[in-house]
Amino acid sequence: MLPWNVHPPARFTGPAFFMAVAFLLAASILPPAACAAPLSDHQATLSALSDVQAAIAEIVGADQSYSTDKKVYYRASQRAINALEGTRGPEYVAAAGSAGDAAGAIGHIDSLLDRKETPVWAPVLDSAEANIRAAIAHLADARHAHELMDYDIAVSRALTYLLVARGGPADIGAFGGLEGVLANTVLGVPDGATIADGCAEPTAAPSYGVHGGYLAWVAVPAGEGTHQLAESAGEQSVIIRNGMILLPTAAAPLVAKECNSHAQVRPSSPSQATATATLSQPAKTTASGADSAPPALYTKAQAEAGAQVFASKCALCHGANLQGTAAPSVAGTDFLSTAQHNGWTLEVIRYLVFNDMPFNAPASLSSTEYADVLAFLLASNCYPAGDKPFPTADDPGFANVKLGPVPGSHPGKNQFGVCPDG
Ligand code: HEC
């Protein structure tokens, strides 16, 4: 695979472009599955990600077809299982075909973990594999479901596990998943690319700054032309300096600390950079135990409007106090610890609510009603209100907002309950 494809006639299309093309490109230029030579670590990781994405696309596609034919859904679950497990998995059924390749996501991850040393990315891949196996178990249940409702429950569970396994480029921990290791560790360095010292400033571009197994930055030449990255670096800002575009990764601060030198990966003030373009700023993470204040993600007025939506569209199954009746609780310590345990981010819950809820009429509310009801759910889980409304469109930063008990809050007296101030 070519690490950099430069198309001279095309013009430089800006930072958003990197984010947009990154994964499309990664998925489209994978070598064929039946390749005789073993894949490089980089290729194996890309292939695992591509299998997970294919499985997600398969089940989301069946969901959105609104078909009433059970066979459509069973086939989608089986094809997703095949993509995840590969031909050697116990649940593999050749007749269904596969949305992925022969090794499957599990096969690729196993090949990466099959070594004596423990690279920095190993724990992340371990948990990605555990999440993929959990997804397979739910998909296998879906295949045996007699009712569409049972199918939907199993599949949406599988989907939450897959979204965590996929992860996001802005997280270097376990919840970063496959996208996280590609964006922030040596696994993201394309074969044959120039590797430089991640503690120092780049001296040539294209190059990848690596230290201790982490990827601190990617440098791209700033000249004319379209530069396609192998995958998204998860960068929040782009620095243009010395004729190079420098993309610091989410691992940059950690690397800078480890380097214990004066070499700076990020400029200390914006004026040092010739130009700094800010991409969508991911909201602050709210990993529990962290002292940082949780982000303000909605307005009070919105949460009040959301309470009305909840009462008319959701309370039937989730209970007037969100305590859960026919369906799981959606607020309180039980919900929050499940969310924390499963590594659910706001992206996962937002996706689930916008696309799958109300369970008996998915995607039937207006985007304003969905935004309002999410504001209400956040309020009920003791997340603070602010001046900025919860958006009707998805925000990439939501992949970094981990749901869990908000430090110092007391969500209700009983194990469910509603946040007293919500
Ligand atoms: C007809 C019943 C029904 C209605 C109405 C309904 N839900 Fe659900 N909801 C469910 C079921 C069943 C699940 C569990 C499915 C799953 O695990 O994916 C669920 C799961 C959820 C979850 C994830 C919780 C978890 O632990 O899995 C959230 C959040 C949620 N619903 C929010 C809403 C919102 C907001 C509304 C109103 C817009 C709504 N639901 C309306 C039945 C319903």
Side-chain angles (χ1 to χ4, degrees), residues 149 152-158 160 309-310 312-318 326-330 334-335 338-339 342 344 349-350 352-354 356-361 365 369-370 373-374 377:
M149 173 130 169
D152 265 343
I153 293 179
V155 162
S156 65
R157 286 274 183 231
T160 46
V309 178
F310 191 88
S312 63
K313 310 277 185 179
C314 322
L316 175 70
C317 300
H318 290 289
S329 65
V330 288
D334 258 20
F335 169 72
T338 306
N342 292 345
W344 288 345
I349 287 299
R350 184 199 171 277
L352 186 131
V353 171
F354 270 67
D356 295 344
M357 294 297 138
F359 201 70
N360 50 349
L365 276 55
E369 287 176 308
Y370 277 121
V373 82
L374 273 163
L377 289 187

